Amino acid sequence: MSEQEEGPEIENQLLPLDAWHRARGGRMVPFAGYEMPVQYEGIMAEHLWVRENAGLFDVSHMGQLYLSGEGLDAALEALIPADVKSLKLNAQKYSLLLADNGGILDDLMFTRWEDGLYMVVNGAVKYDDITHLLDHLPDDITINHMADQALLALQGPKAVDALSRLVPGVEALVFMTGGRFTWRHQSIWISRSGYTGEDGFEISIPAEDVTDFVDALCAEPEVKPIGLGARDSLRLEADLPLYGHDLDPETTPIMAALNFAVASKRRREEANFPGAARILMERESGAITRRVGLVIDGRQPVREGAAVVDRDGSEVGKITSGGFAPSLGAPIAMAYVPLAMAEIGTVIQIAQRGKVHIGTVTAMPFIPHRYVRGAK
Amino acid sequence: MSRYFTEDHEWIDVDGDVGTVGISEYAQGQLGDIVFVDVPEDGKELTKGDEAAVVESVKAASDVYSPASGTVVESNGELTETPGLVNEDPEGDGWFYKITLSDPSELESLMDETAYAAFVAKL
């Protein structure tokens, strides 16, 4: 027997909570240059726990950056397609770091703080992102890599019950807003956001305090620690693409079906973000390929890298994420397919290890989002 | 009846010239929740080391290699409907297939239960 998904052996860094994960029975695996817990009691049980209760994820491998300086909004708008200038204090936005040709270098979240912008980027590419920002932002802009901060995500319908007992006031936040709170005299940043499709929070806390904090959180009856395995299946069900898998420099926001990332009328009219001409043209007439969601016939999952094939068996697309959806009890996947095959209801063929599987293009998210939104 | 193990965590129970094949308790624990098992068809000829079956967990697919050469005489059809049997009882009801051994001397290179337990303890 052999696992088909194995990474190269490299020396990995340890998370601030490394010992805590091991003591809790977390099975540690290499991911994004760190040793990270892939599961505790089992992916299926952990996944379903998050959908019904509250799961605690350690996402301290992600890059937390603080950008400040004169002219920051305009400078950042030169690198991402979002409307930075209209972002209100404590409001958060999803956006994409774009290459000159409109390809996606990373996806990210950023938030307006009093004197600058707080940004969370993917762990696997955080040093590339920092280099890109340093190379492209004017010298007036300072980038602080907040490497001493841990980052947690508490996700699930009961996250608000558990967290508000520790940190009163968080219940007043709505999706994609945040605030500064105090826990045991320590200042922590909390936003109502996450990457599972559930209501929940992301918490930035000094690494030296994080062990006490997670002990306190996990003492709440709704909360269990959850591994990377369930994080992957949750985000897949929620139509949330994963950088390095569903997004990469070969894909544009329109190919990735992230049209909302270019939703600002002003930014489109100014057309001054990287790759604007290409992206705006694709937005009008459709990109050649598009990311779609698939429900797979039968019980056998199709995996990343499997080929989408036409009737002659020629490869016309690729699976970029695939697995078994615990909430649905069926295999699902994300794939890039030619635009003509991207219509909902289209039946497509996937070749994997000598077998042909049948998938149907399906509306995403597979599981409805349960974000707590504010009044418009 | 004797039970042998491979370094790839397959087991084979030998009764006369028929072997029953599955994956070990250790292997199912490593794989986690098993959601699909692809077992070989009756009559399939396998050489020791051939890819005989595929086990899919929520996260990953793994090949199962035949611990011995021979012809598949029966596969465990229950695994189609209930792949979780491999998690619940990997070394019993969660067996994969039965095979008539074409070369029983191949078993000599496998580990017995004691040797396998020592092997796993070092992993």
Side-chain angles (χ1 to χ4, degrees), chain B residues 13 17-18 22 31 44-45 55 57 81 88 91 100-103 105 117:
Chain B
D13 268 350
D17 65 348
V18 176
L31 290 173
K44 183 160 187 177
E45 300 282 338
V55 199
S57 66
E81 286 303 310
E88 287 160 29
E91 300 188 22
T100 55
L101 304 178
S102 59
D103 181 5
S105 73

Side-chain angles (χ1 to χ4, degrees), chain A residues 31-242:
Chain A
F31 181 83
Y34 291 84
E35 294 272 313
M36 295 190 66
V38 66
Q39 65 170 59
Y40 297 86
E41 56 178 312
I43 293 175
M44 202 86 89
E46 290 169 36
H47 179 115
L48 297 173
W49 181 267
V50 175
R51 290 267 182 252
E52 288 166 18
N53 299 284
L56 179 67
F57 300 86
D58 181 4
V59 287
S60 300
H61 66 299
M62 298 185 82
Q64 299 182 68
L65 312 178
Y66 178 66
L67 282 63
S68 59
E70 197 64 34
L72 173 60
D73 290 4
L76 187 60
E77 283 194 351
L79 304 182
I80 70 175
D83 182 350
V84 182
K85 289 175 180 167
S86 74
L87 189 69
K88 296 194 175 81
L89 181 66
N90 293 339
Q92 191 175 26
K93 247 193 170 79
Y94 176 88
S95 194
L96 302 160
L97 200 59
L98 296 175
D100 288 343
N101 68 354
I104 300 170
L105 299 174
D106 197 6
D107 62 341
L108 55 90
M109 302 280 265
F110 67 102
T111 309
R112 172 83 64 203
W113 281 2
E114 287 282 354
D115 304 309
L117 294 167
Y118 166 69
M119 185 182 282
V120 178
V121 301
N122 278 297
V125 288
K126 62 186 173 187
Y127 297 109
D128 295 339
D129 290 355
I130 292 168
T131 303
H132 183 83
L133 292 169
L134 285 171
D135 286 350
H136 290 83
L137 291 173
D139 293 344
D140 296 347
I141 307 298
T142 305
I143 303 170
N144 175 18
H145 181 197
M146 301 160 68
D148 293 336
Q149 290 285 116
L151 188 67
L152 306 169
L154 185 70
Q155 300 281 293
K158 295 180 184 169
V160 63
D161 302 331
L163 188 60
S164 61
R165 260 176 246 132
L166 263 65
V167 188
V170 295
E171 66 281 358
L173 296 172
V174 294
F175 185 56
M176 299 300 269
T177 66
R180 203 155 268 294
F181 294 84
T182 302
W183 181 74
R184 293 188 188 168
H185 309 295
Q186 182 60 260
S187 170
I188 59 178
W189 169 259
I190 299 177
S191 60
R192 199 158 194 169
S193 54
Y195 221 61
T196 60
E198 294 296 325
D199 182 27
F201 300 87
E202 290 186 319
I203 303 148
S204 177
I205 180 169
E208 60 192 34
D209 297 307
V210 69
T211 303
D212 288 344
F213 186 74
V214 293
D215 277 340
L217 257 185
C218 287
E220 299 299 323
E222 299 92 345
V223 181
K224 282 186 182 182
I226 306 295
L228 280 179
R231 185 170 170 80
D232 193 49
S233 52
L234 287 159
R235 68 93 196 163
L236 179 56
E237 287 182 344
D239 180 21
L240 299 168
L242 186 61

